[in-house]
Amino acid sequence: MNHPLSKVSGLVQGSEDDADKSKEVVFSRTVTLPLIERIPSYTTWIFLDRYQNSRIPWSNCSCFNINLSQNRNQRMADDQSVLGCRRIYYDHRGSEALICSDSEDDLVQLEGEKRKFSDGEDHLIRVAFLEYGIGNEVVDVLTQFVGGSSQEIQERCTMLMETDQEMEKRKKPLKEEISRDNVYLDQSLSAALDSFDNLFCRRCLVFDCRLHGCSQSPTCHTEKQIGQLVTEVDRKPCGDQCYLQACESTRNSINASHKWSNWNPLEKDLYLKGLQIFGRNSCFIARNLLPGLKTCEEVSNYMFGDGAVIPCGSSAKLNSYSNEAGRDGMDPMEPEMPAKSRIRRKRGRVRKDKVKSSRKYRQSLWRMIAEGKDIPYKQYSPCSCQSTCGKQCPCLQNGICCAQKAAKIASEGAIVLKVNVKANNAPALQINVNVIQMFAGVVGLGIDCGDGSLGGPPRRGGDSQCANMMLLLRQHQRILLAKSDIVGWGAFVKNPVNKDDYLGEYTGELISHEEADRRGKIYDRADISYLFDLNDKYVIDAYRKGDKLKFANHSANPNCYARIMLVAGDHRVGIYANEQIQAGEEIFYDYRYGPDESPAWALKPTISKTDGLRGRANKHKSR
Ligand SMILES: C[S@@+](CC[C@H](N)C(=O)[O-])C[C@H]1O[C@@H](n2cnc3c(N)ncnc32)[C@H](O)[C@@H]1O
């Protein structure tokens, strides 16, 4: 008996001898099982059809903290049984615990880091505490949703409550002046739009956007543009109450200060908003922004009285707009940080050597050499130009032609059709201009949509369509996933494709460079990385979430190439064919590692087992 598997036993059949019947006969045959190569180890991943902003660092993520789940960790921290926080991760390859920080210095720095709260998180904390009070359970729930320790949440809440009380005290005298009948009129426009401002994504037009997060800076319009807007001439009266009906002399005799005092803060703000949108057109302003609140005549009187000369600064919102205008180039995804935390960040950047070493295995197109210059892709931030972008426009200066160019396309008529809101539905106003700009940008109303790709093809797809539209509309090729001919898993095209055809998008979690450095240390040890440098602010990490194209392998002689495109203001990575590719061929592109950042395998030519250089294994049957 050579092998237990080759032993077959049974009873002898058809024997006359009863004794023989009970005899066990043993047949023996050797079966050699073919040696099958182990399929590559594989982790599950979540499919994403576009990348997703991930603000939660692994260090706050319970699944990577083998110490304890976050909640338990919190409680232990609370009862002082855990001192400090040592970041320990689970290495799926070696099944061993790794300390993420390579040096004690790192640990000290991480421990010293203070949790930063975004406006949206503050909002959540405020609402929770106002509705449910400060109980341990509430704190626990908040730590799950917001992150951070319970102590941090409690501290933040106390701080928020104190600030709110302070604000309330300052507001009081003004509040007493105005009517209490209408909760909306009681507030300024900015206060009425508070949650809208915080939670609505102006790019994706959804609440609670997972890509851009909350607290985005609104697209702003500068004060000086108000004066340039349309004046009212040659118009017909809009109704009985139209100011055009009133005689000139009556209008001039109006006591402007009396009228001004009858305008409450929300009405004033709505008026100013109307001025921004329609110019000095009291008919439009009254009909669209102040229906039921002010007649056209009243608006006109106000306009020709004090209202017209009141600077935007009278409105907190508009004031903030003008401030925003000075923030061009800043990231709208990132809430304005207190000066303190910025300093802390800068200090973090001083540690360049370390950062570099942990970036060595990242695919990095963002530092792509375009026309001999080392130009990093800059995170896009919509400009504040109202009509066309002039020479000073930061978008043009950064080589980005933004959707703001389409602003003028949003003609008054179009806006009038769309804006028909009541005062208590004021949020709609805020989005109106942005929506139309977005729409104009998306449908490409005769404007250059500026795909923002640096240094090369393809700017246009078939039918003269902008290449970035393929990403926007997700017109990708069918991609198959199968064992690569080179290493691990690979991505393959199902159907033949032509040169410069768009294959699909490299998606994943959108993380900061700092977070990528932390994760990169772990990936580098395993020598497998799904990090893709997107721009000066963000890195895509496809390790846990992504598209099948995350499995495309590297080759110095590739049949595809990756290109960073600007799509509706976001950088996205498209993979395109470098040449004609046959159905079932594996996809390779150049990861473009920097000269001193390449892993050893990237320096060698990629030799396919079946097809020589680069690898051309057919995978027709694979899925
Ligand atoms: C984005 S993943 C590609 C998918 C990977 N093959 C898998 O099985 O998950 C990138 C990693 O694949 C490996 N890789 C990609 N191209 C390679 C090549 N030409 N030679 C060796 N390893 C390669 C490296 O470990 C790299 O960090």
Side-chain angles (χ1 to χ4, degrees), residues 561-620:
Y561 58 93
R563 178 80 62 222
I564 296 176
M565 312 293 285
L566 190 76
V567 185
D570 294 313
H571 281 132
R572 287 163 67 171
V573 181
I575 309 285
Y576 297 85
N578 215 5
E579 57 191 54
Q580 265 200 341
I581 306 177
Q582 301 304 314
E585 265 191 69
E586 183 167 354
I587 295 166
F588 295 95
Y589 65 95
D590 189 344
Y591 287 2
R592 289 182 180 270
Y593 290 118
D596 51 347
E597 294 165 349
S598 278
W601 53 260
L603 298 171
K604 297 183 220 143
T606 312
I607 309 288
S608 148
K609 285 171 216 153
T610 55
D611 220 20
L613 215 62
R614 191 175 64 212
R616 295 281 176 132
N618 280 340
K619 297 283 170 189
H620 298 285

Side-chain angles (χ1 to χ4, degrees), residues 216-277:
Q216 296 168 31
S217 315
T219 310
C220 45
H221 307 291
T222 47
E223 287 169 27
K224 70 174 193 271
Q225 286 157 344
I226 290 176
Q228 296 163 3
L229 292 167
V230 190
T231 53
E232 42 189 32
V233 278
D234 300 333
R235 280 211 326 270
K236 291 185 179 138
C238 64
D240 292 347
Q241 302 276 308
C242 181
Y243 83 102
L244 292 172
Q245 305 277 27
C247 76
E248 197 68 24
S249 56
T250 326
R251 201 186 320 152
N252 289 340
S253 68
I254 284 164
N255 180 340
S257 60
H258 167 72
K259 288 283 167 189
W260 176 236
S261 65
N262 286 338
W263 284 62
N264 61 45
L266 181 60
E267 289 167 345
K268 288 175 196 170
D269 284 344
L270 286 171
Y271 164 78
L272 289 170
K273 182 56 98 178
L275 210 55
Q276 273 187 336
I277 299 172

Side-chain angles (χ1 to χ4, degrees), residues 60-334:
N60 285 349
C61 178
S62 54
C63 55
F64 284 92
N65 190 337
I66 60 163
N67 211 356
L68 286 165
S69 76
Q70 206 175 14
N71 263 344
R72 279 173 62 204
N73 214 351
Q74 229 88 74
R75 278 192 208 113
M76 283 181 72
D78 287 348
D79 68 22
Q80 305 296 305
S81 54
V82 174
L83 285 181
C85 59
R86 232 177 139 76
R87 280 136 211 259
I88 304 172
Y89 297 107
Y90 185 72
D91 172 10
H92 76 281
R93 282 208 165 184
S95 303
E96 64 182 14
L98 293 178
I99 294 167
C100 180
S101 301
D102 280 340
S103 72
E104 288 304 313
D105 276 6
D106 263 6
L107 285 179
V108 172
Q109 193 198 11
L110 291 168
E111 280 163 22
E113 269 174 18
K114 221 174 159 68
R115 174 82 169 80
K116 290 164 206 152
F117 290 85
S118 69
D119 288 354
E121 288 167 345
D122 280 348
H123 186 73
L124 210 64
I125 295 173
R126 242 190 221 109
V127 171
F129 279 111
L130 288 176
E131 285 199 17
Y132 304 104
I134 313 179
N136 283 346
E137 256 177 68
V138 179
V139 174
D140 273 359
V141 172
L142 278 171
T143 53
Q144 279 173 35
F145 282 96
V146 176
S149 69
S150 42
Q151 194 190 345
E152 282 167 335
I153 296 279
Q154 268 162 345
E155 279 173 12
R156 187 71 185 173
C157 175
T158 317
M159 195 279 278
L160 288 175
M161 293 305 141
E162 281 169 9
T163 321
D164 288 353
Q165 274 168 10
E166 194 60 35
M167 298 269 280
E168 204 52 38
K169 267 187 215 158
R170 275 189 227 149
K171 267 193 216 161
K172 236 179 180 165
L174 178 67
K175 272 192 163 182
E176 279 160 7
E177 280 175 26
I178 54 180
S179 151
R180 289 170 194 279
D181 298 344
N182 189 324
V183 281
Y184 299 104
L185 299 181
D186 201 19
Q187 303 173 357
S188 69
L189 186 59
S190 63
L193 294 178
D194 186 45
S195 63
F196 170 77
D197 276 344
N198 278 321
L199 302 175
F200 189 76
C201 173
R202 292 168 178 77
R203 293 199 201 173
C204 305
L205 308 180
V206 291
F207 280 92
D208 206 14
C209 171
R210 297 199 71 182
L211 175 59
H212 302 109
C214 38
S215 311
Q216 296 168 31
S217 315
T219 310
C220 45
H221 307 291
T222 47
E223 287 169 27
K224 70 174 193 271
Q225 286 157 344
I226 290 176
Q228 296 163 3
L229 292 167
V230 190
T231 53
E232 42 189 32
V233 278
D234 300 333
R235 280 211 326 270
K236 291 185 179 138
C238 64
D240 292 347
Q241 302 276 308
C242 181
Y243 83 102
L244 292 172
Q245 305 277 27
C247 76
E248 197 68 24
S249 56
T250 326
R251 201 186 320 152
N252 289 340
S253 68
I254 284 164
N255 180 340
S257 60
H258 167 72
K259 288 283 167 189
W260 176 236
S261 65
N262 286 338
W263 284 62
N264 61 45
L266 181 60
E267 289 167 345
K268 288 175 196 170
D269 284 344
L270 286 171
Y271 164 78
L272 289 170
K273 182 56 98 178
L275 210 55
Q276 273 187 336
I277 299 172
F278 304 113
R280 294 170 181 236
N281 188 324
S282 41
C283 303
F284 282 177
I285 296 174
R287 190 199 308 159
N288 295 302
L289 287 135
L290 296 158
L293 295 170
K294 292 284 178 251
T295 64
C296 169
E297 194 182 349
E298 282 171 317
V299 172
S300 169
N301 291 335
Y302 182 56
M303 189 183 288
F304 289 103
D306 285 347
V309 291
I310 287 168
C312 294
S314 67
S315 154
K317 189 75 214 170
L318 294 181
N319 210 355
S320 78
Y321 281 176
S322 0
N323 292 341
E324 295 292 350
R327 292 180 58 206
D328 281 336
M330 280 191 61
D331 177 12
M333 294 186 196
E334 195 165 297

